[in-house]
Amino acid sequence: VAYGKESAKVLLGSRQVPSAAEWQRTLVQPASAFVYQGPGPLLAQVDPEYVATLGLTGCAACLVFDRAASDVASRRLAKEANQKSTSRLALESSFSTAALLSLAGVKTVILNQWETSAAENHDIATSLLSQLGTAGSLAPAMRTVVRGALQVQPAPTDEAAEEATAPPTEYRCSVLADPVVYGLPSFGIS
């Protein structure tokens, strides 16, 4: 989804996988930010050669909450990965994606480093977007989201309550350390 002063165009892949042309049209429309939330790496969804040729200098930020795990998407992406070369698969890494988007003109990129659940991706994305308006820019907004989620919860009083609680702190920390800000973290909503 691209965000800007104009009406946002939404690209949904719930019915079918968007084509390369649909991706290109969505990425080049005038907007100050592009938000993506979906399965697998972003560059597994849209080929790097299509992104490399785009002029994205008008896009101040790409918020990419990719690598969401789901059985159906994982099977499709694994089948597609079997047909790709190792160099092509290397382009799907977080660092390569951030570099490619930056070279295309995007000033700030937020990407996941590793796979996470769709629900966790959604929680972090919505928390970040809600904080973006109050925190001023991406870096303080991300810091607020992470610090808020890391607040220590009171210890359970008995073993039964301990089993019913959320996943251990180490798991929560790894999920919160997943998104990384590349580029100029000063993008904000004004």
Side-chain angles (χ1 to χ4, degrees), residues 5 17 26 60 63 74 117 133 137 142 145 161 169 181:
K5 292 183 180 178
V17 176
T26 301
L63 311 178
S74 294
S117 76
S137 64
M142 182 62 80
V145 169
T169 305
V181 180

Side-chain angles (χ1 to χ4, degrees), residues 47-69:
D47 290 335
E49 59 265 18
Y50 295 120
V51 176
T53 60
L54 299 176
L56 301 176
T57 55
C59 186
C62 275
L63 311 178
V64 181
F65 298 97
D66 61 352
R67 301 176 194 280

Side-chain angles (χ1 to χ4, degrees), residues 47 53 87 94 96 104 107-109 111 118 122 128 133 145 152 154 164 179 183 190:
D47 290 335
T53 60
S87 59
S94 296
S96 297
K107 293 165 190 62
T108 306
V109 180
L111 283 167
H122 179 75
L128 178 64
V145 169
V152 179
S190 52

Side-chain angles (χ1 to χ4, degrees), residues 100-172:
L100 183 61
L101 289 169
S102 295
L103 288 171
V106 178
K107 293 165 190 62
T108 306
V109 180
I110 291 185
L111 283 167
N112 284 338
Q113 299 177 78
W114 50 76
E115 194 172 82
T116 187
S117 76
E120 290 162 341
N121 245 358
H122 179 75
D123 289 345
I124 291 173
T126 54
S127 296
L128 178 64
L129 291 172
S130 67
Q131 282 296 319
L132 191 55
T134 59
S137 64
L138 281 174
M142 182 62 80
R143 184 174 41 246
T144 301
V145 169
V146 170
R147 283 188 179 166
L150 286 178
Q151 289 180 352
V152 179
Q153 302 296 322
T157 56
D158 61 4
E159 290 181 28
E162 187 173 316
E163 290 176 9
T165 60
T169 305
E170 296 83 31
Y171 177 73
R172 291 181 60 224

